[in-house]
Amino acid sequence: MKKIKIKSGVNLVVLPTTQFKTMHIAVDFAAPLLDIDKVSARSLLTYLTAVSSDKYPSQQMVAQKAIDLYGAQYQTDVMRFGQTHHVRYTLQIPAPTYIGAENSLLHDAFDFLRDMIFDPLIINGCFDLPIFTKEKQSLMNELDSLTDDKQRYAMSKLRELTYVLPAMTISSSGRTSDVEALTSKGVYQVYQDMINNDTINIIVYGDIDEARVISELTTWPLLARQEQSLKPFYRQELLSVTNELTDVQADINQAIMTISYRLAISPEDPRRFVALVMNALFGGSPLSKLFTIIREKESLAYSIYSRWQHDTGFITVAAGLDADKVAQTDTMIQAQITAIQVGDFSDETLSAIKASLINDYLSQQDSPASEIGLIFSRLLTNRETTVTDWIAAVNAVTSSDVSKMAREVVIQSRFTLMPEGLL
């Protein structure tokens, strides 16, 4: 990966390839996750800059321009990685070399993205009020709908029980109460702070050369900014007690149980590959103990999986199951951790787990979105592992490594959502 420093705090990576018939331009604004009130404002920015700009003042005009760009796909998103918060813009267009409009399409695509990001629809120092009001309500509706998605709701409650840092306890999209308090002027101030101070990483992926991209970016208002000390990872001390909470809802007919475990390895610990394999054996793959034993053999859960979050150091388990099987399933989940701790798994299973992880990793090389996400991660963490080294590190994991790692897993929190009347 070659990183080009456009200005202080502004980086570019160009990935030339003829593998795909599309071209992708992605722009990421990264800021420290410090002020909990800014999370909601930055989230609302992705709504506002998705539907209008000074040049395209309505959602219909934005959509028409995307059509004019041969059916381009323009998206905005917000996300969190460790203790960093990201506002991300992506534009996908047909590869210009395939449609005979190389120069004009490339130029128009970069101009469109510049207009949408850097020239919003501002009236007297505020976002256009009718659009602001509409999009603010849209974000509030999205956040309020969280309770309708039972698994997302359960995971959000588990997050509140698990994390100590306030900004880590809420969704990367913010909170309804915070969004409700936002003003058009206040959000514009947050926008200006983002444009002028965030670390900007730009990735262009497709059949294009570096010089052409740099030439197009000369018209973008990419100002130099102070280099930030971003913290892409988050670690916290063990909780003194296991935080537990059970809630009930009337409109569900099955329970959802979520559990969070702390795995205290540092972000730089090379044993992160052991953690990856151990989680896949525990519940992160169809070959895992949670899936093959709890779901398939014992029929205790309709769905169950675990996920290891390298950016935070936590393993999260989520299970959908009958309410009368919650206690038994909880016991069985803990039993699977114990089984891994004592080496109760075969070499054949471990080999199959590692092969599955490698196949999944290699398949991501055929996805532009996955590749772009990986490059953003490398830019943020300043860590780059080659495909060869990644595969070698996974293959080097032994049964003893996995068992030893499992002994470092400590439960931290548990949230269970139960049908009303069955608690």
Side-chain angles (χ1 to χ4, degrees):
M1 178 186 74
K2 178 184 177 183
K3 182 172 76 171
I4 304 165
K5 189 173 184 178
I6 301 294
K7 297 279 182 66
S8 175
V10 182
N11 307 301
L12 168 68
V13 174
V14 180
L15 300 170
T17 179
T18 57
Q19 183 178 358
F20 306 102
K21 295 183 178 181
T22 55
M23 178 173 292
H24 302 255
I25 308 169
V27 185
D28 182 90
F29 292 81
L33 185 67
L34 296 175
D35 300 324
I36 197 168
D37 56 328
K38 284 188 179 180
V39 172
S40 296
R42 288 167 64 89
S43 179
L44 183 52
L45 282 176
T46 65
Y47 279 67
L48 295 167
T49 53
V51 300
S52 68
S53 69
D54 187 67
K55 189 172 183 179
Y56 308 104
S58 70
Q59 191 167 7
Q60 292 74 22
M61 294 181 70
V62 173
Q64 183 58 54
K65 182 59 181 179
I67 293 171
D68 294 342
L69 292 171
Y70 295 87
Q73 296 180 28
Y74 169 60
Q75 294 179 313
T76 64
D77 201 2
V78 64
M79 61 203 70
R80 169 176 41 218
F81 191 96
Q83 294 184 73
T84 61
H85 194 264
H86 301 259
V87 172
R88 188 170 296 176
Y89 299 86
T90 58
L91 182 68
Q92 175 185 317
I93 60 172
T97 52
Y98 284 97
I99 58 177
E102 182 172 358
N103 290 327
S104 61
L105 178 54
L106 273 174
H107 183 72
D108 288 350
F110 276 95
D111 276 3
F112 170 70
L113 201 51
R114 178 200 62 201
D115 291 335
M116 297 305 298
I117 298 173
F118 295 99
D119 196 12
L121 184 57
I122 302 300
I123 310 294
N124 297 324
C126 302
F127 279 99
D128 177 74
L129 192 55
I131 293 177
F132 178 84
T133 303
K134 179 177 181 293
E135 296 307 315
K136 176 179 174 178
Q137 188 60 54
S138 295
L139 176 55
M140 290 173 62
N141 291 344
E142 170 68 20
L143 292 170
D144 285 340
S145 70
L146 178 65
T147 55
D148 296 327
D149 186 330
K150 306 309 177 186
Q151 184 144 318
R152 282 183 60 201
Y153 172 73
M155 294 301 289
S156 72
K157 301 301 289 185
L158 183 70
R159 174 177 288 276
E160 292 175 10
L161 292 172
T162 302
Y163 293 107
V164 175
L165 188 68
M168 292 293 295
T169 64
I170 69 169
S171 163
S172 59
S173 297
R175 296 181 300 197
T176 303
S177 58
D178 293 333
V179 175
E180 191 169 15
L182 294 175
T183 65
S184 179
K185 183 176 182 179
V187 173
Y188 181 54
Q189 291 172 343
V190 171
Y191 165 80
Q192 290 179 309
D193 180 59
M194 180 186 86
I195 292 296
N196 294 320
N197 298 314
D198 275 24
T199 296
I200 304 177
N201 289 317
I202 304 168
I203 297 175
V204 182
Y205 189 44
D207 189 7
I208 192 171
D209 64 83
E210 178 183 300
R212 179 61 193 276
V213 174
I214 294 174
S215 174
E216 291 293 346
L217 292 178
T218 58
T219 66
W220 286 29
L222 300 170
L223 304 176
R225 72 259 345 268
Q226 183 176 350
E227 298 275 0
Q228 297 188 86
S229 178
L230 297 174
K231 297 179 180 179
F233 298 104
Y234 173 78
R235 295 293 186 270
Q236 69 182 35
E237 297 298 319
L238 276 173
L239 300 175
S240 57
V241 296
T242 300
N243 290 334
E244 299 188 63
L245 179 66
T246 299
D247 196 4
V248 297
Q249 287 190 4
D251 56 344
I252 59 174
N253 53 24
Q254 72 176 49
I256 296 176
M257 180 170 58
T258 58
I259 307 172
S260 186
Y261 301 88
R262 178 175 176 267
L263 185 55
I265 62 170
S266 73
E268 300 303 323
D269 195 326
R271 294 184 303 155
R272 62 184 182 274
F273 291 98
V274 179
L276 183 69
V277 174
M278 188 270 292
N279 174 69
L281 176 62
F282 176 44
S285 78
L287 300 172
S288 69
K289 285 184 171 292
L290 295 187
F291 189 87
T292 59
I293 295 178
I294 293 181
R295 184 185 184 276
E296 297 295 296
K297 181 181 178 181
E298 302 295 336
S299 299
L300 290 174
Y302 301 114
S303 63
I304 189 166
Y305 69 90
S306 70
R307 179 187 174 208
W308 176 56
Q309 298 167 271
H310 180 43
D311 62 326
T312 65
F314 282 92
I315 295 175
T316 302
V317 172
L321 64 168
D322 289 333
D324 60 355
K325 294 180 179 178
V326 167
Q328 184 182 1
T329 303
D330 188 12
T331 300
M332 285 291 292
I333 291 171
Q334 312 314 316
Q336 305 319 305
I337 293 178
T338 300
I340 297 174
Q341 290 172 343
V342 300
D344 183 14
F345 53 90
S346 67
D347 290 339
E348 291 76 16
T349 297
L350 186 64
S351 295
I353 289 282
K354 293 192 289 187
S356 176
L357 284 170
I358 291 169
N359 288 336
D360 288 345
Y361 178 74
L362 291 175
S363 69
Q364 292 177 16
Q365 313 301 310
D366 295 326
S367 165
S370 296
E371 188 69 11
I372 289 170
L374 179 60
I375 297 300
F376 276 132
S377 175
R378 288 173 176 172
L379 288 168
L380 182 63
T381 62
N382 292 313
R383 175 195 294 160
E384 183 173 4
T385 305
T386 67
V387 172
T388 300
D389 287 346
W390 195 97
I391 292 173
V394 169
N395 277 328
V397 174
T398 67
S399 297
S400 176
D401 294 334
V402 170
S403 294
K404 185 177 179 181
M405 179 67 68
R407 291 194 285 273
E408 298 183 41
V409 173
V410 182
I411 189 169
Q412 295 288 274
S413 55
R414 180 188 290 104
F415 175 79
T416 308
L417 185 62
M418 299 282 282
E420 191 173 58
L422 294 177
L423 182 60

